[in-house]
Amino acid sequence: MKSILSREQFVITPEKNGLVRDIKLRHLLMIAFGGAIGTGLFVGTGGNIASAGPLGTLIAYAIGGVIIYSVMLSLGELASYFPHTGSFGDYAHRFIGPATGYMIFWLYWLGWVISVGIEYIAVGFLMQYWFPSVPVYWWVIGCVVLIFLLNSFSVKVFAESEFVLSMIKTIAVIAFIAIGFVAIIYHIYLNGFGAVFANFYFEKGGLFPNGVQVVLGTILVVIFAFTGTEIIGVAVGETKNPSQVMPKAIKATLARIVFFFIGSVFIISVFLPMNDSTITQSPFVSVLERIELPFLKGGIPYVASVMNFIIITALISTANSGLYGASRMIYGLSEKKMYFPIFAKLNKRGTPIFALYLSIIFSLVALFTKIFAPEAVIEALISVVSFTVIIVWASVSISQYIFRKRYIASGKSLKDLPYKAPFTPLIQIIGLLGCLIGIIGAYFDPQQRIGIWATLVYIILCYGVYFITKDRFGRVSKGEEDVLASR
């Protein structure tokens, strides 16, 4: 009987499933950035500031940063020891239970297909800056074709495209933060130190103009902004030397991502008044249009067009990563005999093409904005995506805690782990408490409450379908039952 801590069962090799390990460290780093820096930061920040105020938004981003930092440390330990494309679903299946693993697979898939749809919507809004007469859904169709082509070829094409797209927006965020801090210094020189914090105190409502409860509710929306960082846990299953690469990726990305988000939000808060923020207009463009610098009389030339292009590139990058993650979840389900075997089939380039078809079809939820009010749809979808990722993150923390406990109990040395998450179990407790705070805070917002209830219904449905169809796909082999029983 194999030990439940045996790596061999869950480590992907080309001989086992045909997936090609063509993702390198540089790709993995940019996939982490590319998955995270998208709609939530470039577009959604304006809506957060409009509801929670500048200080409340900064607090929400700081809490979100602590949560993602804790979860990613746990994911680093699991993914380094068990580098598998199924990632979160496999870990939950192995350490929490098969039914929960099944639910996590479908939950993460749902989060990404909705998120990809949101990226389509955002691209459509931003393209109207240049082409106001062209309907949003035409740009949605264009995005669908492009993202499908980038994912349908080999994983190397996906990785290289994501590297280029993510590099563009990473450089853009660095440039925005650099320009912003120079402008802040000049702002202090002209108007005094107090001018930096002028926007933080709203005349009619103080530091928290809409109440502290709105700040708590914003945490769930902020979590949406950080969504995508964890996708490196999926990509590591198609990475060369995963046990060596994953620890490096974790160490290199976490602090930088948090710095990018908090730094950008601070600069936006300094230059963009709360009542000028909106969910459909990028605050990055608004801020760069307002910035005054002594060596740029008349402002930065073509700033709106340049930033609009960069943001569109960023959104395409996030959609690219999202479709990749969604298709790998379907593939992972089928590979583990939890779903129809056709979705485990690969094309000649090693891409799970049928899983890709299914995922991109459901991502077309963006087209429903033709019928419904865009802002209302985006807010509802963001709450669903945020809640799904909270559950997935919580499952990672729980899985890593159980894994570490059993690893030590089996007599193995922590020195032998490719990557050891520090401060266990403190980081798992922080991660779980942070997720709980986000859920509780969001419940006070009626619009987000709808998304929470909808996701809970979906979770119950997943569990129900698992037990109803448990024997249909022969999802748990005798060997796996033995291993699970050995717990």
Side-chain angles (χ1 to χ4, degrees), residues 185-366:
I185 293 172
Y186 185 61
H187 193 40
I188 293 172
Y189 171 75
L190 291 178
N191 306 301
F193 188 81
V196 174
F197 301 101
N199 289 337
F200 283 80
Y201 189 85
F202 198 65
E203 291 182 3
K204 296 181 180 180
L207 294 175
F208 303 104
N210 294 319
V212 177
Q213 73 277 4
V214 176
V215 178
L216 294 176
T218 304
I219 293 174
L220 189 65
V221 183
V222 166
I223 285 174
F224 169 77
F226 284 108
T227 299
T229 311
E230 76 290 332
I231 203 168
I232 60 175
V234 179
V236 74
E238 295 173 78
T239 302
K240 295 179 179 179
N241 304 316
S243 296
Q244 300 174 20
V245 168
M246 188 62 178
K248 294 178 181 177
I250 292 292
K251 293 174 183 176
T253 59
L254 281 181
R256 297 176 191 179
I257 287 176
V258 174
F259 169 75
F260 282 1
F261 277 79
I262 302 242
S264 297
V265 172
F266 176 73
I267 290 168
I268 292 169
S269 299
V270 170
F271 291 102
L272 190 63
M274 175 180 170
N275 53 3
D276 286 349
S277 299
T278 173
I279 193 170
T280 56
Q281 172 66 38
S282 170
F284 281 69
V285 175
S286 300
V287 166
L288 289 174
E289 287 178 333
R290 293 165 180 258
I291 278 179
E292 296 181 11
L293 293 171
F295 50 86
L296 285 173
K297 299 298 182 182
I300 303 173
Y302 307 108
V303 61
S305 291
V306 172
M307 200 64 206
N308 216 50
F309 167 76
I310 291 170
I311 294 172
I312 289 170
T313 303
L315 301 178
I316 292 172
S317 167
T318 303
N320 192 33
S321 295
L323 187 62
Y324 169 83
S327 65
R328 267 46 178 188
M329 288 297 104
I330 297 296
Y331 172 81
L333 277 165
S334 183
E335 185 206 16
K336 293 181 68 62
K337 299 182 180 179
M338 289 179 164
Y339 201 46
F340 297 104
I342 190 174
F343 294 106
K345 291 185 179 295
L346 308 174
N347 63 16
K348 62 182 180 180
R349 294 175 292 272
T351 300
I353 194 67
F354 293 102
L356 186 63
Y357 288 148
L358 181 67
S359 300
I360 202 163
I361 287 171
F362 277 90
S363 73
L364 294 179
V365 65

Side-chain angles (χ1 to χ4, degrees), residues 86 88-90 92 98-114 325-334 337-340 343 354-355 358-359 362 384-385 388-389 391-392 395 455 457-467 469 473 475:
F88 330 105
D90 282 318
T100 300
Y102 179 82
M103 180 271 292
I104 293 296
F105 268 118
W106 279 114
L107 199 64
Y108 194 64
W109 173 83
L110 174 70
W112 265 127
V113 294
I114 293 177
S327 65
R328 267 46 178 188
M329 288 297 104
I330 297 296
Y331 172 81
L333 277 165
S334 183
K337 299 182 180 179
M338 289 179 164
Y339 201 46
F340 297 104
F343 294 106
F354 293 102
L358 181 67
S359 300
F362 277 90
V384 171
V385 174
T388 60
V389 82
I391 302 300
V392 172
S395 76
T455 309
V457 171
Y458 181 82
I459 289 172
I460 294 171
L461 181 65
C462 286
Y463 276 110
V465 171
Y466 172 84
F467 288 109
T469 65
F473 302 113
R475 61 185 49 157

